[in-house]
Amino acid sequence: SQQGEEDPQALSIQEGENATMNCSYKTSINNLQWYRQNSGRGLVHLILIRSNEREKHSGRLRVTLDTSKKSSSLLITASRAADTASYFCATAGGTSYGKLTFGQGTILTVHP
Amino acid sequence: NAGVTQTPKFQVLKTGQSMTLQCAQDMNHEYMSWYRQDPGMGLRLIHYSVGAGITDQGEVPNGYNVSRSTTEDFPLRLLSAAPSQTSVYFCASSYRTGSGTGELFFGEGSRLTVL
């Protein structure tokens, strides 16, 4: 079963707007990661946040993590048409190494 | 530095045929894994390895076999292909960090169709 549940499943916005995607998970984690996938391509890592961190920034990306609620959010500010892609959260489990468990993803469409 | 290389990119099989998806990484990562991606299902873990000679099952291992004789290579074998194995397959490599598994580096994927 999937560890992460993502919300919304699809998001459609205009260029310049902010996009927020949410991820919930079920078990304890060491870290949580966000990935991006352009259509027909492999996944690309965006950001990793450790279980003892609450917020992390990278360029126009802001990730928050609330371990008490077992949830994370990814905010993309000032979206561009080139941000159109699928976004996935993935968790690194507390006692397992070498693998991540992925959510089902959010499809983001940014209209020019 | 090629990263993670998967071959073939496309393959069509008939039910019952066997084949091997190849995966190689040149980053000296100790972790390697295989995922399949189906529409609306996200990525599901098939098998993974934490080092040469060590493999383990993931969420959907049935019908697949793996081995890891070297750090660089992690082939995925389909033993007797079934239409339910029609999917896009991704190989990934990673490394250990102080906070568990680090970022995954993905190959470009192998699109498999089983007729």
Side-chain angles (χ1 to χ4, degrees):
Chain A
S1 62
Q2 298 288 335
Q3 161 80 311
E5 298 287 337
E6 296 189 58
D7 170 56
Q9 291 187 346
L11 181 61
S12 181
I13 61 174
Q14 296 295 127
E15 256 189 335
E17 294 180 339
N18 295 342
T20 299
M21 289 159 265
N22 302 296
C23 168
S24 61
Y25 58 92
K26 299 174 184 174
T27 61
S28 66
I29 61 170
N30 288 324
N31 67 64
L32 185 144
Q33 304 178 28
W34 285 90
Y35 289 81
R36 165 192 171 129
Q37 184 181 34
N38 286 62
S39 181
R41 305 298 300 273
L43 282 74
V44 174
H45 180 263
L46 295 175
I47 198 165
L48 180 155
I49 185 165
R50 297 184 178 89
S51 60
N52 61 355
E53 297 177 312
R54 292 296 167 257
E55 187 171 312
K56 203 161 183 180
H57 297 255
S58 176
R60 294 184 295 113
L61 305 181
R62 172 179 171 256
V63 168
T64 61
L65 178 64
D66 187 334
T67 54
S68 67
K69 295 181 179 178
K70 292 187 169 59
S71 67
S72 174
S73 67
L74 170 67
L75 168 67
I76 304 174
T77 60
S79 295
R80 306 165 181 167
D83 294 328
T84 295
S86 294
Y87 292 81
F88 296 88
C89 70
T91 53
T95 58
S96 61
Y97 290 83
K99 60 178 181 176
L100 299 183
T101 303
F102 283 81
Q104 294 179 346
T106 293
I107 301 171
L108 173 66
T109 304
V110 182
H111 299 280
Chain B
N1 209 355
V4 178
T5 304
Q6 284 183 241
T7 57
K9 287 186 168 48
F10 301 94
Q11 183 73 47
V12 178
L13 290 178
K14 294 181 179 177
T15 297
Q17 287 184 318
S18 62
M19 76 158 299
T20 299
L21 298 177
Q22 301 291 347
C23 177
Q25 55 98 1
D26 60 1
M27 295 171 283
N28 201 32
H29 286 164
E30 56 187 312
Y31 301 156
M32 295 187 75
S33 50
W34 278 101
Y35 292 85
R36 60 178 287 175
Q37 185 176 32
D38 302 295
M41 298 290 290
L43 273 76
R44 292 183 291 169
L45 181 66
I46 304 171
H47 286 284
Y48 68 104
S49 169
V50 297
I54 306 169
T55 64
D56 206 349
Q57 295 182 353
E59 182 185 355
V60 288
N62 292 341
Y64 307 94
N65 200 3
V66 292
S67 60
R68 185 124 177 248
S69 57
T70 67
T71 299
E72 295 78 18
D73 299 301
F74 192 45
L76 178 72
R77 297 181 187 84
L78 279 70
L79 309 173
S80 177
S84 61
Q85 294 179 303
T86 293
S87 189
V88 181
Y89 292 84
F90 288 99
C91 179
S93 71
S94 185
Y95 52 91
R96 182 190 298 261
T97 74
S99 65
T101 303
E103 67 174 283
L104 297 186
F105 293 78
F106 282 88
E108 285 296 311
S110 298
R111 185 175 297 273
L112 175 66
T113 302
V114 183
L115 303 175

